[in-house]
């Protein structure tokens, strides 16, 4: 039976996911395939390249660097997380992404992005971790309003969490009957519409399909979460989530805060390691 892995997004809540994944890698827990959304894609790709510690390392090192993430970057480039720094300088120079291992690892790794015209999810299988794959990962993690659209194959793409926040059904459609699902919100969380949705709607008025998806996102997310819990109850999903709200924003310039959230992920994974190993071993 193929065991899959589903990685929710959540911007810097993704440090929780990084902590969980590092414990998995350190204990030899492997999967036939994985799908990452937004931060789940940007940080989760390190499980295929077998690089524990990389996500927390470079985020702590560069979180105060205005060339990595800053209002200045947003105002001058349209991306609050600088594209050149985050998707070229870090993976190719400052903290190299192991594309050789990524390509050789047989685990399937998918990312989700949203078609800005239709508001529907698009899925891409990353095969070698090189420029084209990184472009899809960037698209998956491109938060609306604070990131520019990413053009791939004639389509404009945006954050995958808008259209498929927890793609468990996608993994099941690929033949993964049992899945580990890493969430970045605690049990009992219910998503509500953003207070400033009107401002977001006005800013994205050129993309009515995307606006419709954003408007429906709370209902979509809560329905997906209910499905995850149903699959957990049936024994077909193993859910790992924070014990409480992580209390970290989409942008964080404090390395200690990043470490705090990362350690919550590690401690949570260690706490359920025995049960997780039983689940993944069938």
């Amino acid at each position: 039976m193929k065991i899959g892995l589903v990685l929710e997004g959540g911007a810097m809540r993704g440090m929780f996911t990084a902590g969980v994944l590092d414990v998995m890698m350190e204990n030899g827990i492997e999967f036939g395939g994985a799908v990452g959304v937004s931060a789940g894609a940007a940080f989760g790709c390190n499980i295929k390249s077998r690089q524990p510690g990389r996500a927390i390392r470079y985020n702590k090192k560069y979180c105060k660097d205005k060339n990595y993430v800053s209002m200045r970057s947003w105002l001058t480039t349209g991306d609050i997380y600088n594209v050149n720094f985050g998707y070229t300088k870090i993976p190719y120079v400052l903290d190299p992404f192991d594309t050789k291992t990524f390509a050789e690892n047989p685990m399937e790794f998918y990312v989700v992005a949203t078609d800005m015209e239709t508001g529907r999810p698009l899925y891409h299988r990353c095969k070698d971790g090189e420029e084209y794959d990184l472009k899809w990962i960037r698209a998956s993690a491109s938060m609306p309003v604070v990131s520019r659209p990413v053009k791939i194959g004639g389509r404009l793409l945006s954050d995958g969490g808008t259209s498929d926040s927890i793609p468990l059904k996608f993994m099941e459609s690929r033949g993964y009957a049992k899945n580990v699902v890493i969430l970045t919100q605690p049990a009992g969380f219910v998503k509500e519409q953003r207070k400033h949705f009107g401002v977001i709607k006005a800013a994205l008025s050129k993309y009515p399909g995307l606006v419709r998806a954003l408007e429906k996102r709370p209902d979509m997310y809560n329905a997906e979460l209910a499905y995850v819990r149903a699959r957990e109850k049936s024994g077909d999903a193993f859910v790992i989530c924070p014990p409480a709200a992580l209390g970290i924003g989409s942008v964080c310039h404090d390395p200690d805060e990043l470490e705090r959230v990362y350690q919550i992920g590690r401690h949570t994974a260690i706490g359920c390691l025995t049960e997780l190993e039983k689940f993944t071993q069938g």
Side-chain angles (χ1 to χ4, degrees), residues 69-82:
V69 54
S70 65
M71 288 298 293
R72 184 182 70 181
S73 176
W74 182 43
L75 293 172
T76 58
T77 71
D79 292 289
I80 196 162
Y81 282 89
N82 187 274

Side-chain angles (χ1 to χ4, degrees), residues 2 20 30 50 71 94 100 104 135 149 154 164-165 192 200 218 224 238-239 241-242 264 275 278 282:
K2 295 197 299 182
V20 174
E30 297 192 349
R50 295 193 171 104
M71 288 298 293
L94 299 175
K100 183 176 184 296
E104 292 174 351
K135 195 171 185 180
D164 195 355
S165 298
E192 299 178 353
I200 296 171
E224 289 192 337
F238 188 98
V239 179
C241 65
I264 293 173
E275 293 82 0
K278 289 179 181 178

Side-chain angles (χ1 to χ4, degrees), residues 24-97:
M24 288 179 175
M25 285 188 272
E26 291 161 6
N27 286 274
I29 297 175
E30 297 192 349
F31 300 87
V35 59
V37 184
S38 195
F43 304 147
C45 60
N46 293 291
I47 194 171
K48 183 169 166 63
S49 64
R50 295 193 171 104
Q51 290 179 279
R54 181 173 178 269
I56 183 63
R57 182 173 61 240
Y58 75 74
N59 274 284
K60 284 179 64 176
K61 187 171 184 178
Y62 300 111
C63 66
K64 293 184 178 181
D65 192 327
K66 292 181 179 179
N67 293 310
Y68 178 38
V69 54
S70 65
M71 288 298 293
R72 184 182 70 181
S73 176
W74 182 43
L75 293 172
T76 58
T77 71
D79 292 289
I80 196 162
Y81 282 89
N82 187 274
V83 170
N84 182 60
F85 194 90
Y87 293 94
T88 299
K89 198 165 185 179
I90 287 177
Y92 288 107
V93 180
L94 299 175
D95 200 325
F97 186 52

Side-chain angles (χ1 to χ4, degrees), residues 131-274:
E131 184 177 357
Y132 186 67
D133 285 344
L134 290 178
K135 195 171 185 180
W136 270 94
I137 291 172
R138 175 162 68 92
S140 182
S142 291
M143 297 179 288
V145 181
V146 295
S147 303
R148 289 173 295 171
V150 179
K151 190 173 184 179
I152 300 178
R155 291 188 174 101
L156 292 178
L157 307 183
S158 183
D159 195 312
T162 299
S163 56
D164 195 355
S165 298
I166 314 170
L168 174 56
K169 288 184 179 180
F170 168 77
M171 285 302 286
E172 291 177 340
S173 76
R174 304 301 301 178
Y176 294 90
K178 295 182 69 176
N179 292 274
V180 173
V181 182
I182 303 179
L183 304 174
T184 58
Q185 297 284 12
F189 175 79
V190 176
K191 182 173 282 298
E192 299 178 353
Q193 189 53 269
R194 296 181 183 181
K195 294 179 181 179
H196 305 295
F197 180 71
V199 176
I200 296 171
K201 184 176 181 180
L204 298 171
S205 59
K206 293 193 298 183
Y207 311 105
L210 182 65
V211 170
R212 286 193 298 270
L214 285 165
E215 192 168 19
K216 295 176 182 178
R217 190 186 179 202
D219 292 338
M220 175 271 293
Y221 182 92
N222 293 329
E224 289 192 337
L225 192 56
Y227 182 77
V228 168
R229 293 304 181 187
R231 299 301 280 169
E232 180 184 34
K233 189 174 181 180
S234 69
D236 298 304
F238 188 98
V239 179
I240 301 174
C241 65
L246 293 170
I248 192 168
S250 298
V251 173
C252 178
H253 299 294
D254 185 347
D256 292 337
E257 272 294 282
L258 296 173
E259 180 69 23
R260 177 185 68 82
V261 174
Y262 172 77
Q263 288 298 334
I264 293 173
R266 289 191 61 88
H267 293 156
T268 302
I270 290 169
C272 66
L273 190 58
T274 300

